[in-house]
PDB file of all heavy atoms in Angstrom:
ATOM      1  N   THR A 263       6.357   8.506   9.236  1.00 93.00           N
ATOM      2  CA  THR A 263       6.138   7.137   9.825  1.00 93.00           C
ATOM      3  C   THR A 263       7.013   6.896  11.020  1.00 93.00           C
ATOM      4  O   THR A 263       8.069   7.574  11.225  1.00 93.00           O
ATOM      5  CB  THR A 263       6.314   6.039   8.825  1.00 93.00           C
ATOM      6  OG1 THR A 263       5.877   4.791   9.282  1.00 93.00           O
ATOM      7  CG2 THR A 263       7.803   5.793   8.384  1.00 93.00           C
ATOM      8  N   VAL A 310       0.320   5.205   3.690  1.00 97.00           N
ATOM      9  CA  VAL A 310       0.961   5.017   2.398  1.00 97.00           C
ATOM     10  C   VAL A 310       0.016   4.194   1.462  1.00 97.00           C
ATOM     11  O   VAL A 310       0.028   4.388   0.260  1.00 97.00           O
ATOM     12  CB  VAL A 310       2.352   4.438   2.535  1.00 97.00           C
ATOM     13  CG1 VAL A 310       2.270   2.901   2.938  1.00 97.00           C
ATOM     14  CG2 VAL A 310       3.126   4.642   1.290  1.00 97.00           C
ATOM     15  N   THR A 311      -0.780   3.298   2.077  1.00 98.00           N
ATOM     16  CA  THR A 311      -1.616   2.520   1.173  1.00 98.00           C
ATOM     17  C   THR A 311      -2.680   3.397   0.511  1.00 98.00           C
ATOM     18  O   THR A 311      -2.946   3.182  -0.702  1.00 98.00           O
ATOM     19  CB  THR A 311      -2.332   1.376   2.040  1.00 98.00           C
ATOM     20  OG1 THR A 311      -1.357   0.718   2.704  1.00 98.00           O
ATOM     21  CG2 THR A 311      -3.071   0.360   1.202  1.00 98.00           C
ATOM     22  N   SER A 385      -4.952  -8.080   0.939  1.00 97.00           N
ATOM     23  CA  SER A 385      -4.668  -7.882   2.332  1.00 97.00           C
ATOM     24  C   SER A 385      -3.336  -7.052   2.534  1.00 97.00           C
ATOM     25  O   SER A 385      -2.387  -7.399   1.731  1.00 97.00           O
ATOM     26  CB  SER A 385      -4.590  -9.205   3.086  1.00 97.00           C
ATOM     27  OG  SER A 385      -4.178  -9.018   4.363  1.00 97.00           O
ATOM     28  N   VAL A 386      -3.252  -6.207   3.413  1.00 96.00           N
ATOM     29  CA  VAL A 386      -2.002  -5.403   3.626  1.00 96.00           C
ATOM     30  C   VAL A 386      -1.838  -4.905   5.023  1.00 96.00           C
ATOM     31  O   VAL A 386      -2.881  -4.662   5.667  1.00 96.00           O
ATOM     32  CB  VAL A 386      -1.971  -4.192   2.668  1.00 96.00           C
ATOM     33  CG1 VAL A 386      -3.161  -3.249   2.878  1.00 96.00           C
ATOM     34  CG2 VAL A 386      -0.691  -3.500   2.721  1.00 96.00           C
ATOM     35  N   GLY A 387      -0.657  -4.640   5.495  1.00 93.00           N
ATOM     36  CA  GLY A 387      -0.410  -3.901   6.667  1.00 93.00           C
ATOM     37  C   GLY A 387       0.142  -4.649   7.807  1.00 93.00           C
ATOM     38  O   GLY A 387       0.715  -4.080   8.710  1.00 93.00           O
ATOM     39  N   GLU A 388      -0.234  -5.952   7.822  1.00 91.00           N
ATOM     40  CA  GLU A 388       0.324  -6.784   8.919  1.00 91.00           C
ATOM     41  C   GLU A 388       0.184  -8.306   8.497  1.00 91.00           C
ATOM     42  O   GLU A 388      -0.535  -8.564   7.482  1.00 91.00           O
ATOM     43  CB  GLU A 388      -0.531  -6.552  10.233  1.00 91.00           C
ATOM     44  CG  GLU A 388      -1.953  -6.364   9.893  1.00 91.00           C
ATOM     45  CD  GLU A 388      -2.878  -6.267  11.078  1.00 91.00           C
ATOM     46  OE1 GLU A 388      -2.571  -6.853  12.134  1.00 91.00           O
ATOM     47  OE2 GLU A 388      -3.892  -5.727  10.890  1.00 91.00           O
ATOM     48  N   PRO A 389       0.792  -9.197   9.172  1.00 90.00           N
ATOM     49  CA  PRO A 389       0.729 -10.590   8.753  1.00 90.00           C
ATOM     50  C   PRO A 389      -0.827 -10.943   8.920  1.00 90.00           C
ATOM     51  O   PRO A 389      -1.455 -10.594   9.867  1.00 90.00           O
ATOM     52  CB  PRO A 389       1.508 -11.384   9.765  1.00 90.00           C
ATOM     53  CG  PRO A 389       2.436 -10.359  10.398  1.00 90.00           C
ATOM     54  CD  PRO A 389       1.744  -9.046  10.269  1.00 90.00           C
ATOM     55  N   ILE A 390      -1.257 -11.701   7.851  1.00 92.00           N
ATOM     56  CA  ILE A 390      -2.715 -12.228   7.990  1.00 92.00           C
ATOM     57  C   ILE A 390      -2.597 -13.707   8.460  1.00 92.00           C
ATOM     58  O   ILE A 390      -1.882 -14.523   7.762  1.00 92.00           O
ATOM     59  CB  ILE A 390      -3.439 -12.038   6.705  1.00 92.00           C
ATOM     60  CG1 ILE A 390      -4.906 -12.680   6.855  1.00 92.00           C
ATOM     61  CG2 ILE A 390      -2.811 -12.568   5.468  1.00 92.00           C
ATOM     62  CD1 ILE A 390      -5.876 -12.196   5.754  1.00 92.00           C
ATOM     63  N   ASP A 411      -1.908 -11.502  -0.548  1.00 98.00           N
ATOM     64  CA  ASP A 411      -1.433 -10.922   0.655  1.00 98.00           C
ATOM     65  C   ASP A 411      -0.145 -10.055   0.279  1.00 98.00           C
ATOM     66  O   ASP A 411       0.845 -10.735  -0.168  1.00 98.00           O
ATOM     67  CB  ASP A 411      -1.077 -11.994   1.661  1.00 98.00           C
ATOM     68  CG  ASP A 411      -0.375 -11.591   2.908  1.00 98.00           C
ATOM     69  OD1 ASP A 411      -0.273 -10.352   3.126  1.00 98.00           O
ATOM     70  OD2 ASP A 411       0.167 -12.444   3.673  1.00 98.00           O
ATOM     71  N   THR A 412      -0.163  -8.782   0.430  1.00 98.00           N
ATOM     72  CA  THR A 412       0.812  -8.001  -0.156  1.00 98.00           C
ATOM     73  C   THR A 412       1.760  -7.351   0.993  1.00 98.00           C
ATOM     74  O   THR A 412       1.225  -6.688   1.779  1.00 98.00           O
ATOM     75  CB  THR A 412       0.202  -6.837  -0.935  1.00 98.00           C
ATOM     76  OG1 THR A 412      -0.586  -6.015  -0.017  1.00 98.00           O
ATOM     77  CG2 THR A 412      -0.674  -7.346  -2.047  1.00 98.00           C
ATOM     78  N   TRP A 413       2.980  -7.685   0.864  1.00 98.00           N
ATOM     79  CA  TRP A 413       3.904  -7.111   1.921  1.00 98.00           C
ATOM     80  C   TRP A 413       4.672  -5.930   1.285  1.00 98.00           C
ATOM     81  O   TRP A 413       5.216  -6.001   0.159  1.00 98.00           O
ATOM     82  CB  TRP A 413       4.977  -8.102   2.367  1.00 98.00           C
ATOM     83  CG  TRP A 413       5.975  -7.418   3.353  1.00 98.00           C
ATOM     84  CD1 TRP A 413       5.851  -7.384   4.647  1.00 98.00           C
ATOM     85  CD2 TRP A 413       7.162  -6.738   2.983  1.00 98.00           C
ATOM     86  NE1 TRP A 413       6.849  -6.617   5.177  1.00 98.00           N
ATOM     87  CE2 TRP A 413       7.693  -6.264   4.208  1.00 98.00           C
ATOM     88  CE3 TRP A 413       7.873  -6.523   1.745  1.00 98.00           C
ATOM     89  CZ2 TRP A 413       8.893  -5.526   4.277  1.00 98.00           C
ATOM     90  CZ3 TRP A 413       9.046  -5.687   1.829  1.00 98.00           C
ATOM     91  CH2 TRP A 413       9.581  -5.286   3.058  1.00 98.00           C
ATOM     92  N   TRP A 414       4.722  -4.782   1.975  1.00 98.00           N
ATOM     93  CA  TRP A 414       5.401  -3.605   1.608  1.00 98.00           C
ATOM     94  C   TRP A 414       5.411  -2.618   2.787  1.00 98.00           C
ATOM     95  O   TRP A 414       4.820  -2.974   3.835  1.00 98.00           O
ATOM     96  CB  TRP A 414       4.927  -3.038   0.327  1.00 98.00           C
ATOM     97  CG  TRP A 414       3.461  -2.559   0.250  1.00 98.00           C
ATOM     98  CD1 TRP A 414       2.374  -3.387   0.328  1.00 98.00           C
ATOM     99  CD2 TRP A 414       2.944  -1.236   0.150  1.00 98.00           C
ATOM    100  NE1 TRP A 414       1.241  -2.616   0.294  1.00 98.00           N
ATOM    101  CE2 TRP A 414       1.621  -1.349   0.152  1.00 98.00           C
ATOM    102  CE3 TRP A 414       3.596  -0.004  -0.002  1.00 98.00           C
ATOM    103  CZ2 TRP A 414       0.751  -0.167   0.083  1.00 98.00           C
ATOM    104  CZ3 TRP A 414       2.723   1.140  -0.097  1.00 98.00           C
ATOM    105  CH2 TRP A 414       1.383   1.017  -0.028  1.00 98.00           C
ATOM    106  N   GLN A 415       5.951  -1.430   2.569  1.00 97.00           N
ATOM    107  CA  GLN A 415       6.099  -0.457   3.626  1.00 97.00           C
ATOM    108  C   GLN A 415       6.043   1.001   3.097  1.00 97.00           C
ATOM    109  O   GLN A 415       6.221   1.170   1.872  1.00 97.00           O
ATOM    110  CB  GLN A 415       7.526  -0.560   4.281  1.00 97.00           C
ATOM    111  CG  GLN A 415       7.943  -1.902   4.681  1.00 97.00           C
ATOM    112  CD  GLN A 415       9.341  -1.928   5.202  1.00 97.00           C
ATOM    113  OE1 GLN A 415      10.293  -1.664   4.449  1.00 97.00           O
ATOM    114  NE2 GLN A 415       9.612  -2.250   6.473  1.00 97.00           N
ATOM    115  N   THR A 416       5.803   1.927   4.027  1.00 97.00           N
ATOM    116  CA  THR A 416       5.893   3.356   3.618  1.00 97.00           C
ATOM    117  C   THR A 416       7.168   3.601   2.857  1.00 97.00           C
ATOM    118  O   THR A 416       7.143   4.244   1.876  1.00 97.00           O
ATOM    119  CB  THR A 416       5.887   4.200   4.881  1.00 97.00           C
ATOM    120  OG1 THR A 416       4.747   3.822   5.664  1.00 97.00           O
ATOM    121  CG2 THR A 416       5.832   5.684   4.546  1.00 97.00           C
ATOM    122  N   GLU A 417       8.279   2.935   3.307  1.00 98.00           N
ATOM    123  CA  GLU A 417       9.535   3.203   2.744  1.00 98.00           C
ATOM    124  C   GLU A 417       9.688   2.572   1.303  1.00 98.00           C
ATOM    125  O   GLU A 417      10.325   3.138   0.477  1.00 98.00           O
ATOM    126  CB  GLU A 417      10.655   2.502   3.552  1.00 98.00           C
ATOM    127  CG  GLU A 417      10.888   3.297   4.917  1.00 98.00           C
ATOM    128  CD  GLU A 417      10.004   2.723   6.063  1.00 98.00           C
ATOM    129  OE1 GLU A 417       8.953   2.173   5.727  1.00 98.00           O
ATOM    130  OE2 GLU A 417      10.371   2.936   7.261  1.00 98.00           O
ATOM    131  N   ALA A 437       3.036 -14.295   2.387  1.00 96.00           N
ATOM    132  CA  ALA A 437       2.990 -13.174   1.335  1.00 96.00           C
ATOM    133  C   ALA A 437       3.660 -13.654  -0.017  1.00 96.00           C
ATOM    134  O   ALA A 437       3.639 -13.069  -1.021  1.00 96.00           O
ATOM    135  CB  ALA A 437       3.689 -11.934   1.724  1.00 96.00           C
ATOM    136  N   ALA A 498      14.762  -3.936   6.172  1.00 96.00           N
ATOM    137  CA  ALA A 498      13.337  -3.497   6.249  1.00 96.00           C
ATOM    138  C   ALA A 498      12.855  -3.470   7.701  1.00 96.00           C
ATOM    139  O   ALA A 498      11.850  -2.779   7.963  1.00 96.00           O
ATOM    140  CB  ALA A 498      12.470  -4.574   5.499  1.00 96.00           C
ATOM    141  N   ASP A 500      11.845  -6.030   9.290  1.00 95.00           N
ATOM    142  CA  ASP A 500      10.932  -7.233   9.527  1.00 95.00           C
ATOM    143  C   ASP A 500      11.611  -8.548   9.641  1.00 95.00           C
ATOM    144  O   ASP A 500      12.546  -8.762   8.889  1.00 95.00           O
ATOM    145  CB  ASP A 500       9.885  -7.361   8.316  1.00 95.00           C
ATOM    146  CG  ASP A 500       8.738  -6.374   8.501  1.00 95.00           C
ATOM    147  OD1 ASP A 500       8.996  -5.229   8.991  1.00 95.00           O
ATOM    148  OD2 ASP A 500       7.691  -6.730   8.110  1.00 95.00           O
ATOM    149  N   LEU A 512       6.097 -13.512   6.686  1.00 94.00           N
ATOM    150  CA  LEU A 512       6.572 -12.374   7.452  1.00 94.00           C
ATOM    151  C   LEU A 512       6.335 -12.737   8.951  1.00 94.00           C
ATOM    152  O   LEU A 512       5.287 -13.225   9.275  1.00 94.00           O
ATOM    153  CB  LEU A 512       5.734 -11.175   7.114  1.00 94.00           C
ATOM    154  CG  LEU A 512       6.330 -10.361   5.806  1.00 94.00           C
ATOM    155  CD1 LEU A 512       7.781 -10.016   6.010  1.00 94.00           C
ATOM    156  CD2 LEU A 512       6.061 -11.090   4.575  1.00 94.00           C
ATOM    157  N   GLY A 514       6.784 -10.482  11.646  1.00 87.00           N
ATOM    158  CA  GLY A 514       6.610  -9.269  12.507  1.00 87.00           C
ATOM    159  C   GLY A 514       7.967  -8.442  12.612  1.00 87.00           C
ATOM    160  O   GLY A 514       8.903  -8.840  12.056  1.00 87.00           O
ATOM    161  N   ARG A 515       7.824  -7.332  13.261  1.00 87.00           N
ATOM    162  CA  ARG A 515       8.967  -6.357  13.367  1.00 87.00           C
ATOM    163  C   ARG A 515      10.019  -6.950  14.222  1.00 87.00           C
ATOM    164  O   ARG A 515       9.719  -7.620  15.233  1.00 87.00           O
ATOM    165  CB  ARG A 515       8.514  -5.068  13.881  1.00 87.00           C
ATOM    166  CG  ARG A 515       7.388  -4.380  13.051  1.00 87.00           C
ATOM    167  CD  ARG A 515       7.945  -3.771  11.811  1.00 87.00           C
ATOM    168  NE  ARG A 515       9.076  -2.852  11.927  1.00 87.00           N
ATOM    169  CZ  ARG A 515       9.531  -2.121  10.945  1.00 87.00           C
ATOM    170  NH1 ARG A 515       8.964  -2.206   9.700  1.00 87.00           N
ATOM    171  NH2 ARG A 515      10.584  -1.283  11.124  1.00 87.00           N
ATOM    172  N   ASN A 521       2.838  -2.671  15.607  1.00 91.00           N
ATOM    173  CA  ASN A 521       1.851  -2.565  14.511  1.00 91.00           C
ATOM    174  C   ASN A 521       0.487  -2.861  15.115  1.00 91.00           C
ATOM    175  O   ASN A 521       0.138  -3.887  15.386  1.00 91.00           O
ATOM    176  CB  ASN A 521       2.271  -3.669  13.481  1.00 91.00           C
ATOM    177  CG  ASN A 521       1.465  -3.504  12.205  1.00 91.00           C
ATOM    178  OD1 ASN A 521       0.292  -3.077  12.257  1.00 91.00           O
ATOM    179  ND2 ASN A 521       2.073  -3.750  11.096  1.00 91.00           N
ATOM    180  N   GLY A 524      -2.536  -2.493  11.821  1.00 87.00           N
ATOM    181  CA  GLY A 524      -1.857  -2.106  10.572  1.00 87.00           C
ATOM    182  C   GLY A 524      -1.257  -0.706  10.639  1.00 87.00           C
ATOM    183  O   GLY A 524      -0.775  -0.215   9.643  1.00 87.00           O
ATOM    184  N   ARG A 526       1.606   1.886  12.138  1.00 89.00           N
ATOM    185  CA  ARG A 526       2.871   1.789  12.854  1.00 89.00           C
ATOM    186  C   ARG A 526       2.986   2.808  13.903  1.00 89.00           C
ATOM    187  O   ARG A 526       2.723   3.965  13.817  1.00 89.00           O
ATOM    188  CB  ARG A 526       3.967   2.071  11.812  1.00 89.00           C
ATOM    189  CG  ARG A 526       4.378   0.814  11.075  1.00 89.00           C
ATOM    190  CD  ARG A 526       5.151   1.223   9.829  1.00 89.00           C
ATOM    191  NE  ARG A 526       6.523   1.634  10.200  1.00 89.00           N
ATOM    192  CZ  ARG A 526       7.419   1.792   9.201  1.00 89.00           C
ATOM    193  NH1 ARG A 526       7.133   1.620   8.016  1.00 89.00           N
ATOM    194  NH2 ARG A 526       8.732   2.174   9.556  1.00 89.00           N
TER     195      ARG A 526
HETATM  196  C1  LIG B   1       3.967  -4.714   8.107  1.00 54.49           C
HETATM  197  C2  LIG B   1       1.959  -0.510   5.114  1.00 54.49           C
HETATM  198  C3  LIG B   1       3.052  -8.928   7.042  1.00 54.49           C
HETATM  199  C4  LIG B   1       5.443  -4.894   8.182  1.00 54.49           C
HETATM  200  C5  LIG B   1       1.965  -0.882   3.584  1.00 54.49           C
HETATM  201  C6  LIG B   1       6.036  -3.692   7.525  1.00 54.49           C
HETATM  202  C7  LIG B   1       3.102  -6.610   6.766  1.00 54.49           C
HETATM  203  C8  LIG B   1       5.018  -2.674   8.053  1.00 54.49           C
HETATM  204  C9  LIG B   1       2.392  -6.758   5.587  1.00 54.49           C
HETATM  205  C10 LIG B   1       4.917  -1.414   7.174  1.00 54.49           C
HETATM  206  C11 LIG B   1       2.081  -8.097   5.139  1.00 54.49           C
HETATM  207  C12 LIG B   1       2.874  -4.666   5.976  1.00 54.49           C
HETATM  208  N1  LIG B   1       2.418  -9.146   5.932  1.00 54.49           N
HETATM  209  N2  LIG B   1       3.462  -7.709   7.565  1.00 54.49           N
HETATM  210  N3  LIG B   1       1.406  -8.279   4.003  1.00 54.49           N
HETATM  211  N4  LIG B   1       2.270  -5.514   5.058  1.00 54.49           N
HETATM  212  N5  LIG B   1       3.351  -5.333   7.007  1.00 54.49           N
HETATM  213  O1  LIG B   1       4.850   1.457   6.557  1.00 54.49           O
HETATM  214  O2  LIG B   1       5.912  -5.048   9.529  1.00 54.49           O
HETATM  215  O3  LIG B   1       2.447   1.367   7.470  1.00 54.49           O
HETATM  216  O4  LIG B   1       7.338  -3.398   7.907  1.00 54.49           O
HETATM  217  O5  LIG B   1       3.128   0.223   5.313  1.00 54.49           O
HETATM  218  O6  LIG B   1       3.773  -3.360   8.175  1.00 54.49           O
HETATM  219  O7  LIG B   1       3.852  -0.561   7.612  1.00 54.49           O
HETATM  220  P1  LIG B   1       3.529   0.682   6.751  1.00 54.49           P
END
Side-chain angles (χ1 to χ4, degrees):
T263 189
V310 74
T311 308
S385 173
V386 61
E388 39 173 333
I390 178 164
D411 174 10
T412 61
W413 178 88
W414 58 294
Q415 309 176 297
T416 306
E417 291 87 340
D500 277 37
L512 278 306
R515 299 288 305 189
N521 191 328
R526 271 166 75 169

